[in-house]
Amino acid sequence: MSPAVVGAPGSPRRYFHSLWLLSARDLRVRYSTSALGYLWSVLDPLVMSGIYWFVFTQVFHRDVGENPYIVFLITALLPWVWFNSAVTDFTRAFNKDARLVRSTSIPRSIWVGRIVLSKGIEFLFSLPVLAMFAIFGGATVNPALLLFPVAVVLQVTLLLGLGLIVAPLCVLWGDLERTTRLVLRALFYASPIIYGVADLPGVFKELGAFNPLAGIFTLYRVGFFPDQWDTLSVIVGAVTSILVFGLGLLVFSRLERPVLKEL
Protein backbone atom coordinates (compact mmCIF):
# COMPACT_ATOMS: atom_id res chain seq x y z
CA MET A 1 0.00 0.00 0.00
CA SER A 2 1.41 3.36 -0.97
CA PRO A 3 2.42 5.95 1.63
CA ALA A 4 -0.07 8.38 0.03
CA VAL A 5 -2.88 6.14 1.21
CA VAL A 6 -1.80 5.59 4.78
CA GLY A 7 0.08 8.82 5.41
CA ALA A 8 3.71 9.58 6.09
CA PRO A 9 5.60 7.62 8.76
CA GLY A 10 4.88 9.08 12.19
CA SER A 11 1.82 10.99 10.98
CA PRO A 12 -1.54 10.77 12.74
CA ARG A 13 -3.00 9.28 9.55
CA ARG A 14 -0.48 6.43 9.60
CA TYR A 15 -1.10 5.91 13.31
CA PHE A 16 -4.88 5.61 12.96
CA HIS A 17 -4.56 3.47 9.85
CA SER A 18 -2.36 0.99 11.75
CA LEU A 19 -4.72 1.16 14.72
CA TRP A 20 -7.67 0.27 12.50
CA LEU A 21 -5.83 -2.60 10.80
CA LEU A 22 -4.87 -4.19 14.12
CA SER A 23 -8.35 -3.71 15.60
CA ALA A 24 -10.02 -5.16 12.49
CA ARG A 25 -7.65 -8.14 12.68
CA ASP A 26 -8.67 -8.77 16.28
CA LEU A 27 -12.35 -8.72 15.35
CA ARG A 28 -11.85 -11.03 12.37
CA VAL A 29 -9.95 -13.55 14.47
CA ARG A 30 -12.54 -13.38 17.24
CA TYR A 31 -15.54 -13.95 14.99
CA SER A 32 -14.05 -16.21 12.32
CA THR A 33 -13.23 -18.89 14.90
CA SER A 34 -16.66 -18.77 16.55
CA ALA A 35 -19.80 -20.42 15.29
CA LEU A 36 -22.00 -17.86 17.08
CA GLY A 37 -19.91 -14.91 15.90
CA TYR A 38 -21.69 -11.62 16.65
CA LEU A 39 -23.94 -13.22 19.24
CA TRP A 40 -20.98 -13.49 21.63
CA SER A 41 -20.93 -9.66 21.79
CA VAL A 42 -24.33 -9.69 23.46
CA LEU A 43 -24.64 -13.15 25.01
CA ASP A 44 -22.54 -12.44 28.10
CA PRO A 45 -24.33 -9.22 29.17
CA LEU A 46 -27.69 -10.77 28.26
CA VAL A 47 -27.09 -13.81 30.47
CA MET A 48 -25.85 -11.60 33.31
CA SER A 49 -28.84 -9.28 32.94
CA GLY A 50 -31.23 -12.22 32.89
CA ILE A 51 -29.76 -13.68 36.08
CA TYR A 52 -29.87 -10.41 38.02
CA TRP A 53 -33.33 -9.57 36.68
CA PHE A 54 -34.64 -12.97 37.84
CA VAL A 55 -32.99 -12.78 41.26
CA PHE A 56 -34.05 -9.21 42.02
CA THR A 57 -37.55 -9.30 40.53
CA GLN A 58 -38.73 -12.91 40.84
CA VAL A 59 -36.89 -14.29 43.88
CA PHE A 60 -36.26 -11.29 46.15
CA HIS A 61 -38.09 -8.03 46.64
CA ARG A 62 -36.11 -5.39 44.76
CA ASP A 63 -35.72 -1.95 46.29
CA VAL A 64 -32.92 -0.68 44.04
CA GLY A 65 -32.88 0.57 40.48
CA GLU A 66 -35.86 1.56 38.35
CA ASN A 67 -38.42 -0.02 36.07
CA PRO A 68 -38.10 -1.56 33.57
CA TYR A 69 -35.31 -3.14 35.60
CA ILE A 70 -33.94 -5.16 32.67
CA VAL A 71 -33.25 -1.89 30.80
CA PHE A 72 -31.76 -0.41 33.97
CA LEU A 73 -29.37 -3.36 34.13
CA ILE A 74 -28.40 -3.45 30.47
CA THR A 75 -27.58 0.27 30.28
CA ALA A 76 -24.73 -0.36 32.73
CA LEU A 77 -23.87 -3.99 31.99
CA LEU A 78 -23.05 -3.37 28.33
CA PRO A 79 -20.45 -0.67 29.09
CA TRP A 80 -19.20 -2.76 32.02
CA VAL A 81 -18.50 -5.69 29.69
CA TRP A 82 -16.55 -3.30 27.45
CA PHE A 83 -14.58 -1.99 30.43
CA ASN A 84 -13.95 -5.39 32.00
CA SER A 85 -12.88 -7.15 28.79
CA ALA A 86 -10.61 -4.27 27.76
CA VAL A 87 -8.82 -4.03 31.13
CA THR A 88 -8.43 -7.82 31.19
CA ASP A 89 -6.82 -7.74 27.74
CA PHE A 90 -4.54 -4.87 28.80
CA THR A 91 -2.77 -7.27 31.17
CA ARG A 92 -1.39 -9.25 28.21
CA ALA A 93 -1.42 -6.56 25.52
CA PHE A 94 2.36 -6.69 24.96
CA ASN A 95 3.21 -10.24 25.97
CA LYS A 96 0.69 -11.64 23.50
CA ASP A 97 2.46 -10.05 20.49
CA ALA A 98 5.93 -9.59 21.99
CA ARG A 99 7.83 -10.25 18.76
CA LEU A 100 5.68 -7.85 16.76
CA VAL A 101 5.89 -5.17 19.47
CA ARG A 102 9.70 -5.37 19.44
CA SER A 103 10.15 -5.44 15.67
CA THR A 104 7.74 -2.77 14.43
CA SER A 105 8.37 0.94 14.32
CA ILE A 106 4.78 2.01 14.95
CA PRO A 107 4.05 3.57 18.36
CA ARG A 108 3.62 0.86 20.98
CA SER A 109 0.60 2.67 22.41
CA ILE A 110 -1.31 1.24 19.44
CA TRP A 111 -1.41 -2.12 21.26
CA VAL A 112 -3.47 -0.43 23.94
CA GLY A 113 -5.57 1.59 21.51
CA ARG A 114 -6.49 -1.43 19.42
CA ILE A 115 -7.98 -3.16 22.46
CA VAL A 116 -10.07 -0.11 23.35
CA LEU A 117 -11.24 0.23 19.74
CA SER A 118 -12.05 -3.43 19.07
CA LYS A 119 -13.88 -3.85 22.38
CA GLY A 120 -15.63 -0.54 21.77
CA ILE A 121 -16.86 -1.74 18.39
CA GLU A 122 -18.25 -4.85 20.07
CA PHE A 123 -20.02 -2.55 22.53
CA LEU A 124 -21.57 -0.59 19.65
CA PHE A 125 -22.65 -3.87 18.04
CA SER A 126 -24.52 -4.74 21.24
CA LEU A 127 -26.55 -1.50 21.39
CA PRO A 128 -29.41 -2.89 19.24
CA VAL A 129 -30.10 -5.26 22.14
CA LEU A 130 -30.51 -2.27 24.47
CA ALA A 131 -32.83 -0.62 21.95
CA MET A 132 -34.90 -3.81 21.65
CA PHE A 133 -35.39 -4.16 25.41
CA ALA A 134 -36.13 -0.44 25.75
CA ILE A 135 -38.86 -0.69 23.11
CA PHE A 136 -40.47 -3.91 24.27
CA GLY A 137 -39.93 -3.12 27.96
CA GLY A 138 -41.77 0.18 27.66
CA ALA A 139 -38.84 2.40 28.62
CA THR A 140 -39.20 6.07 27.82
CA VAL A 141 -36.46 8.31 26.47
CA ASN A 142 -35.74 11.97 27.13
CA PRO A 143 -33.32 14.59 25.73
CA ALA A 144 -30.60 13.40 28.15
CA LEU A 145 -30.11 10.49 25.74
CA LEU A 146 -27.81 12.92 23.91
CA LEU A 147 -25.35 12.41 26.77
CA PHE A 148 -24.86 8.78 25.70
CA PRO A 149 -22.02 9.68 23.26
CA VAL A 150 -20.42 11.77 26.03
CA ALA A 151 -20.33 8.64 28.18
CA VAL A 152 -18.67 6.75 25.32
CA VAL A 153 -15.98 9.43 24.94
CA LEU A 154 -15.28 9.48 28.68
CA GLN A 155 -15.06 5.69 28.80
CA VAL A 156 -12.62 5.67 25.89
CA THR A 157 -10.52 8.30 27.68
CA LEU A 158 -10.54 6.35 30.95
CA LEU A 159 -9.71 3.05 29.24
CA LEU A 160 -6.84 4.52 27.24
CA GLY A 161 -5.34 5.96 30.40
CA LEU A 162 -5.74 2.70 32.32
CA GLY A 163 -4.33 0.70 29.42
CA LEU A 164 -1.23 2.87 29.19
CA ILE A 165 -0.63 2.15 32.88
CA VAL A 166 -1.72 -1.48 33.22
CA ALA A 167 -0.18 -2.88 30.02
CA PRO A 168 3.46 -1.93 30.69
CA LEU A 169 3.25 -2.65 34.42
CA CYS A 170 2.01 -6.19 33.73
CA VAL A 171 5.08 -6.82 31.57
CA LEU A 172 7.40 -5.71 34.36
CA TRP A 173 5.47 -7.38 37.18
CA GLY A 174 3.65 -10.52 36.02
CA ASP A 175 1.65 -10.93 39.25
CA LEU A 176 -0.31 -7.79 38.40
CA GLU A 177 -2.31 -9.75 35.82
CA ARG A 178 -4.00 -11.84 38.50
CA THR A 179 -4.25 -8.86 40.83
CA THR A 180 -6.05 -6.87 38.13
CA ARG A 181 -8.64 -9.62 37.71
CA LEU A 182 -9.32 -9.65 41.45
CA VAL A 183 -9.72 -5.88 41.45
CA LEU A 184 -12.17 -6.10 38.54
CA ARG A 185 -14.33 -8.59 40.44
CA ALA A 186 -14.55 -6.24 43.41
CA LEU A 187 -15.09 -3.23 41.15
CA PHE A 188 -18.17 -4.85 39.59
CA TYR A 189 -20.01 -4.74 42.92
CA ALA A 190 -18.53 -1.35 43.83
CA SER A 191 -19.96 0.17 40.64
CA PRO A 192 -23.63 1.18 40.16
CA ILE A 193 -24.64 -1.65 37.84
CA ILE A 194 -27.29 -3.64 39.69
CA TYR A 195 -28.12 -0.50 41.67
CA GLY A 196 -27.90 3.25 41.14
CA VAL A 197 -25.79 5.86 42.93
CA ALA A 198 -28.94 7.16 44.63
CA ASP A 199 -29.58 3.70 46.13
CA LEU A 200 -26.41 3.82 48.22
CA PRO A 201 -27.06 4.57 51.90
CA GLY A 202 -25.54 7.40 53.89
CA VAL A 203 -21.90 8.23 53.31
CA PHE A 204 -21.55 5.45 50.74
CA LYS A 205 -23.41 7.61 48.22
CA GLU A 206 -20.62 10.22 48.35
CA LEU A 207 -17.91 7.56 48.40
CA GLY A 208 -19.48 5.73 45.48
CA ALA A 209 -19.48 8.91 43.42
CA PHE A 210 -15.67 8.86 43.45
CA ASN A 211 -15.69 5.72 41.36
CA PRO A 212 -15.27 7.16 37.82
CA LEU A 213 -17.50 4.43 36.43
CA ALA A 214 -20.37 5.80 38.53
CA GLY A 215 -20.43 9.06 36.58
CA ILE A 216 -19.98 7.31 33.23
CA PHE A 217 -22.79 4.83 33.91
CA THR A 218 -24.97 7.72 35.05
CA LEU A 219 -24.53 9.37 31.66
CA TYR A 220 -25.50 6.12 29.94
CA ARG A 221 -28.64 5.80 32.07
CA VAL A 222 -30.14 9.28 32.31
CA GLY A 223 -31.53 9.12 28.78
CA PHE A 224 -33.91 6.43 30.06
CA PHE A 225 -33.98 7.18 33.79
CA PRO A 226 -33.62 10.95 34.43
CA ASP A 227 -33.89 10.47 38.21
CA GLN A 228 -30.51 8.69 38.10
CA TRP A 229 -28.69 11.97 37.49
CA ASP A 230 -26.01 12.65 40.09
CA THR A 231 -23.95 15.79 39.54
CA LEU A 232 -21.06 14.83 41.82
CA SER A 233 -20.49 11.43 40.22
CA VAL A 234 -20.63 12.89 36.69
CA ILE A 235 -18.10 15.63 37.51
CA VAL A 236 -15.79 13.19 39.30
CA GLY A 237 -16.09 10.70 36.45
CA ALA A 238 -15.18 13.30 33.82
CA VAL A 239 -12.28 14.79 35.77
CA THR A 240 -10.90 11.40 36.81
CA SER A 241 -11.04 10.05 33.26
CA ILE A 242 -9.00 13.00 31.98
CA LEU A 243 -6.51 12.77 34.85
CA VAL A 244 -6.06 9.01 34.39
CA PHE A 245 -5.44 9.57 30.68
CA GLY A 246 -2.77 12.18 31.44
CA LEU A 247 -1.17 9.92 34.03
CA GLY A 248 -1.23 7.06 31.54
CA LEU A 249 0.67 9.09 28.96
CA LEU A 250 3.30 9.96 31.57
CA VAL A 251 3.67 6.41 32.88
CA PHE A 252 3.85 4.91 29.41
CA SER A 253 6.55 7.35 28.29
CA ARG A 254 8.65 6.37 31.33
CA LEU A 255 8.12 2.61 31.02
CA GLU A 256 8.17 2.03 27.27
CA ARG A 257 11.93 1.43 27.08
CA PRO A 258 12.10 -0.93 30.10
CA VAL A 259 9.17 -2.86 28.64
CA LEU A 260 10.95 -3.35 25.32
CA LYS A 261 14.00 -4.68 27.16
CA GLU A 262 11.83 -7.09 29.14
CA LEU A 263 9.96 -8.51 26.14
Side-chain angles (χ1 to χ4, degrees):
M1 188 173 292
S2 64
V5 176
V6 297
S11 67
R13 188 177 181 184
R14 173 69 66 86
Y15 181 94
F16 288 111
H17 179 77
S18 302
L19 176 62
W20 172 251
L21 288 179
L22 289 171
S23 301
R25 186 197 71 170
D26 286 349
L27 291 171
R28 282 196 301 269
V29 170
R30 176 176 173 83
Y31 292 128
S32 64
T33 58
S34 170
L36 293 179
Y38 162 74
L39 290 179
W40 283 117
S41 298
V42 297
L43 196 58
D44 185 35
L46 274 180
V47 171
M48 292 174 66
S49 297
I51 292 172
Y52 286 115
W53 172 84
F54 180 79
V55 169
F56 286 104
T57 63
Q58 306 301 310
V59 179
F60 298 108
H61 174 70
R62 175 179 58 86
D63 57 0
V64 296
E66 297 192 32
N67 292 317
Y69 188 59
I70 189 68
V71 178
F72 183 86
L73 282 171
I74 291 177
T75 49
L77 271 173
L78 291 180
W80 167 258
V81 170
W82 176 16
F83 180 87
N84 181 71
S85 59
V87 174
T88 300
D89 282 3
F90 289 155
T91 61
R92 51 181 182 272
F94 294 129
N95 289 323
K96 184 178 178 181
D97 292 319
R99 183 177 299 178
L100 193 58
V101 172
R102 291 195 310 266
S103 61
T104 57
S105 59
I106 58 177
R108 275 77 186 187
S109 58
I110 279 183
W111 267 263
V112 170
R114 76 170 192 179
I115 293 174
V116 177
L117 179 58
S118 61
K119 298 300 181 182
I121 291 174
E122 291 181 356
F123 166 73
L124 295 179
F125 284 168
S126 68
L127 291 183
V129 175
L130 171 59
M132 180 186 70
F133 276 99
I135 293 171
F136 290 102
T140 59
V141 298
N142 63 78
L145 191 63
L146 296 174
L147 293 174
F148 201 96
V150 177
V152 173
V153 171
L154 286 179
Q155 185 159 345
V156 168
T157 304
L158 178 63
L159 282 172
L160 286 173
L162 287 174
L164 293 172
I165 297 171
V166 172
L169 287 178
C170 283
V171 173
L172 300 176
W173 293 283
D175 288 342
L176 283 179
E177 180 176 349
R178 293 179 179 177
T179 303
T180 300
R181 296 188 180 190
L182 291 176
V183 171
L184 286 172
R185 290 180 186 177
L187 187 60
F188 174 84
Y189 294 100
S191 300
I193 299 172
I194 58 179
Y195 58 87
V197 176
D199 296 316
L200 293 170
V203 70
F204 291 104
K205 181 177 180 180
E206 284 70 31
L207 291 176
F210 284 89
N211 174 356
L213 292 178
I216 294 174
F217 292 169
T218 295
L219 292 174
Y220 282 120
R221 274 185 171 143
V222 289
F224 301 97
F225 309 101
D227 290 341
Q228 291 298 309
W229 177 263
D230 185 80
T231 302
L232 177 61
S233 65
V234 171
I235 293 175
V236 170
V239 172
T240 303
S241 297
I242 295 171
L243 290 177
V244 169
F245 178 70
L247 179 62
L249 291 175
L250 178 62
V251 170
F252 192 81
S253 65
R254 299 285 182 87
L255 296 182
E256 183 175 5
R257 185 166 294 181
V259 165
L260 292 176
K261 291 181 179 179
E262 186 70 21
L263 290 175

